Amino acid sequence: MHIFRVLLILSFFMIHTNVQSQVQPDAKSTNENLYRPRFHFTPQQGWMNDPNGMIFLNGQYHLFFQHYPDGTVWGPMHWGHATSSDLVHWKEQPIALYPDSIGMIFSGSAVLDKNNTSGLGRGGIAPLVAIYTQHNMPGEKSGRNDFQNQSIAYSLDEGKTWTKYAENPVLKTPNLKDFRDPKVIWYEPTKKWIMSLAVANHVEFYSSPNLINWNKESEIGKNLFAHGGVWECPDLLSFKVNGQTVWVLLVSMNPGGPNSGSATQYIVGDFDGHTFKPYTTDIKWMDYGPDNYAGVTFSNVGDRNILIGWMSNWNYANVVPTEKWRSAMTVPRELSLVKQASNSNQFLLVSTPVKELKNAFVQIVSKENVIPNRIDIKDIKATHFEIILSNTYNEKLIIGYHADKKKFYIDRTNAGVSNFNPGFAAVAVAPRLSFTMNMDLSILLDKTSIELFADGGRTVMTALFFPTFPYTKWEIKSKEKIPSSFMKLYSFK
Ligand code: FRU
């Protein structure tokens, strides 16, 4: 009996290793094929985190990003650079900003100084001005508190080459350790630049006539909103809602997110060029998934608010199983604000993939063994459903909705490789934030990521997964039958 059992176990392992050795060479030689996304930006090689300095200029979208080109873990930060004419296809460009004697180049933003308020323009060319944090490592290591300061650099050739301002830094820390991630906008009523800055447990607003001299206006958040971790990467945006101007302050926070680790909260209120007055003090999350962090919006895109987030989480960003590069960005998302009831001050931030992405997908017919890159389901009853992706290793990614709990979930407990982090193999949940009978879903699926936009983008979840072998099968399980005309499937072109 005993021997039989041992034999059985041995034969199981043999079969198992056999299966492995059949597929392993393929999978092994193609970490790139297996994990490099098809329609999400990744650096050719090396480490990437936050999106920085995103701006639209003369037909090109510019994406700068936190980058360590010489390694696949976080290291001395540079600003990498990529451009796109359609928000879908990105071309990596030479590195924009290198660390210098003041420090590494941390997160920040870029603006087009149309009126040359900074005086950095030449020969009628409006300068593109980058505003970023410089982090001085020796300063931090020696136990000082003044190692994060804000500097600027300018470009007169659309971001190709940059000149650092000779008198950097332009905004020095008042001896506070966490003093970073400047996001700058032009505020027309007072004709001033407004900088939102993350300062440990709150956001500070500074104003400037010229991007060089900065004055503190106010601060918000010390004892309000979520505080499970340090506040980072703020962004101040405005929306027109039925003729009313409403402001939103995005703030990323790590750790303390709703599904562990990094996440982005938002605050809705009024901003008058000096102070931000929140309408409510409840905690709101822009994206409930574990993998959308440090998201900020493009400058110079008119009334649109287009956000890109870093598709990872500080819990495990440094150890995910990609070899040549680490981290991808989310797809660009259009943000809008909706009022929850006509007489209330409750607003909901809604995200959807930008309309430019529509043309990037082609409709396909439903086949169990062809994994779509986009699934749109319209007007289905809000009952229990699951979409299951799987492979021959029995690894499964499950995206579902639990009607009794009114919760969406992404279950990656058995989705693939997860031994790099003890918390990775988990179920992320998100509340349904719409109360209509029926719902619609739009799901973007790339090789290692899922982005769920439910109820027109009212509930959003972004999550990574790393199957050992590509998923080759998918199915949808639902209490109510979904008429095929209600579901559209697409492949990335
Ligand atoms: C957010 C962050 C920022 C900082 C940057 C450093 O992910 O921690 O606060 O500027 O990353 O790379």
Side-chain angles (χ1 to χ4, degrees), residues 205-430:
F205 297 107
Y206 289 78
S207 69
S208 170
N210 57 9
L211 295 164
I212 294 166
N213 307 108
W214 293 94
N215 278 316
K216 184 170 167 182
E217 293 285 346
S218 63
E219 52 185 63
I220 180 175
K222 259 184 192 151
N223 298 304
L224 297 171
F225 314 109
H227 282 286
V230 69
W231 283 21
E232 302 183 310
C233 302
D235 192 2
L236 181 63
L237 345 164
S238 67
F239 295 85
K240 272 261 183 297
V241 189
N242 309 327
Q244 181 192 354
T245 301
V246 184
W247 291 80
V248 166
L249 181 64
L250 301 178
V251 191
S252 284
M253 187 185 75
N254 177 66
N259 280 294
S260 181
S262 321
T264 303
Q265 60 177 324
Y266 68 95
I267 303 165
V268 183
D270 279 332
F271 181 73
D272 63 0
H274 306 285
T275 54
F276 189 103
K277 295 213 172 65
Y279 292 157
T280 60
T281 55
D282 52 324
I283 295 170
K284 302 180 206 280
W285 300 104
M286 180 179 76
D287 183 325
Y288 278 84
D291 297 300
N292 180 5
Y293 193 60
V296 285
T297 58
F298 276 88
S299 189
N300 208 30
V301 285
D303 288 342
R304 295 179 74 183
N305 285 304
I306 306 171
L307 177 131
I308 292 181
W310 172 45
M311 199 153 57
S312 196
N313 189 310
W314 281 116
N315 278 353
Y316 41 72
N318 276 291
V319 289
V320 295
T322 53
E323 283 169 4
K324 238 177 120 178
W325 52 279
R326 271 212 180 89
S327 298
M329 295 298 182
T330 67
V331 292
R333 298 170 182 189
E334 194 89 41
L335 301 182
S336 55
L337 203 62
V338 295
K339 211 171 201 177
Q340 288 199 288
S342 57
N343 59 351
S344 87
N345 255 345
Q346 275 289 356
F347 291 85
L348 201 66
L349 189 65
V350 169
S351 329
T352 51
V354 287
K355 60 175 190 294
E356 284 84 347
L357 264 172
K358 285 236 159 76
N359 301 329
F361 293 90
V362 55
Q363 203 173 335
I364 54 169
V365 285
S366 178
K367 274 201 197 120
E368 200 194 58
N369 58 356
V370 176
I371 308 285
N373 295 120
R374 176 171 189 147
I375 305 173
D376 285 351
I377 307 177
K378 282 258 166 294
D379 216 24
I380 49 162
K381 287 230 164 56
T383 54
H384 197 196
F385 78 85
E386 281 190 340
I387 294 173
I388 306 167
L389 309 184
S390 58
N391 62 16
T392 45
Y393 277 53
N394 230 344
E395 293 169 344
K396 284 189 170 83
L397 175 80
I398 309 168
I399 303 125
Y401 178 68
H402 204 296
D404 295 344
K405 298 183 182 154
K406 295 200 166 45
K407 285 204 164 124
F408 295 96
Y409 55 90
I410 297 177
D411 180 345
R412 59 180 185 194
T413 49
N414 186 27
V417 185
S418 64
N419 58 359
F420 53 85
N421 174 264
F424 188 84
V427 184
V429 295

Side-chain angles (χ1 to χ4, degrees), residues 49-50 66 74 77 106-107 180-181 232-233 293-294 310 314:
N49 57 294
D50 315 356
Q66 287 289 277
W74 191 88
M77 284 293 114
F106 269 23
S107 286
R180 61 176 177 272
D181 308 339
E232 302 183 310
C233 302
Y293 193 60
W310 172 45
W314 281 116

